[in-house]
Amino acid sequence: DTGVSQDPRHKITKRGQNVTFRCDPISEHNRLYWYRQTLGQGPEFLTYFQNEAQLEKSRLLSDRFSAERPKGSFSTLEIQRTEQGDSAMYLCASSLDNLSSYTFGSGTRLTVV
Amino acid sequence: GQNIDQPTEMTATEGAIVQINCTYQTSGFNGLFWYQQHAGEAPTFLSYNVLDGLEEKGRFSSFLSRSKGYSYLLLKELQMKDSASYLCAVKSSGGYNKLIFGAGTRLAVHP
């Protein structure tokens, strides 16, 4: 297993466009998390999946954001009508169970121009 | 509310010892993690404390005092490659035990 994979690594988009990011967690991990990180800050929690169920969403996740994990394996995060304030690194992490540490992917850096 | 505080920046000399402090106030506690993050890269796991005391792992050690809401990460025999951000994160006991991160401490190691 090569760890948590995220695609794309970088995305530049014009304001108002929609973007979608993909995360492939470690195969045996049933827990998947999305975080957002801006420069000089720590990661901020966005949403959590256990298998295919989205069990928690942050208030940071406005109605322009949607995340799915249809078969309990890979996950997608979509941002509609992007705004400049959405520019950030979007990190995906997975874990095996409640006691384990998270393994993070390398992130998708989004720049909205 | 949730609050995790750590110094913004620290500098140290190669070969020296540095201690990075973290204080937290969170709704529930289910463990404290330290992660290392090099610029532009993913955070990588360093250590985990759930009980009070010191956990040692090679050049890195981490300490926890739950009654004081306090932890530190100790880095010994500093190397240039240790220049990175160090993130303190608390696993909450409410909700689904997600990690709540501090803003990180940027450590610069000089020759």
Side-chain angles (χ1 to χ4, degrees), chain A residues 9 31 33 35 37 40-43 45 48 50 55-56 89 91 97-107 109, chain B residues 8 30 33 35 37 40-45 47-48 87 91-92 94-104 106:
Chain A
R9 288 294 305 274
R31 294 165 180 247
Y33 309 83
Y35 280 77
Q37 187 176 26
Q41 298 298 313
F45 171 77
Y48 161 61
Q50 186 164 327
L55 297 183
E56 190 173 356
M89 174 77 85
L91 292 164
D97 55 38
N98 189 37
L99 301 177
S100 302
S101 66
Y102 294 7
T103 301
F104 281 89
S106 297
R109 180 166 295 286
Chain B
T8 305
N30 207 13
F33 293 76
Y35 281 81
Q37 187 176 29
E41 297 183 12
T44 54
F45 169 74
S47 70
Y48 171 56
L87 300 165
K91 182 168 277 195
S92 65
Y96 293 97
N97 307 120
K98 60 182 177 287
L99 282 183
I100 302 161
F101 284 85
R106 238 177 0 262

Side-chain angles (χ1 to χ4, degrees), chain A residues 41-96:
Chain A
Q41 298 298 313
E44 295 174 294
F45 171 77
L46 292 178
T47 191
Y48 161 61
F49 289 87
Q50 186 164 327
N51 299 311
E52 65 277 7
Q54 187 175 20
L55 297 183
E56 190 173 356
K57 292 197 295 186
S58 163
R59 280 171 288 182
L60 292 175
L61 218 64
S62 76
D63 57 5
R64 296 185 298 107
F65 288 70
S66 62
E68 294 183 343
R69 194 183 182 197
K71 297 180 181 177
S73 57
F74 74 91
S75 176
T76 57
L77 177 69
E78 182 184 15
I79 309 175
Q80 296 182 327
R81 305 181 304 280
T82 51
E83 301 173 355
Q84 286 189 318
D86 297 331
S87 295
M89 174 77 85
Y90 290 84
L91 292 164
C92 175
S94 68
S95 70
L96 182 61

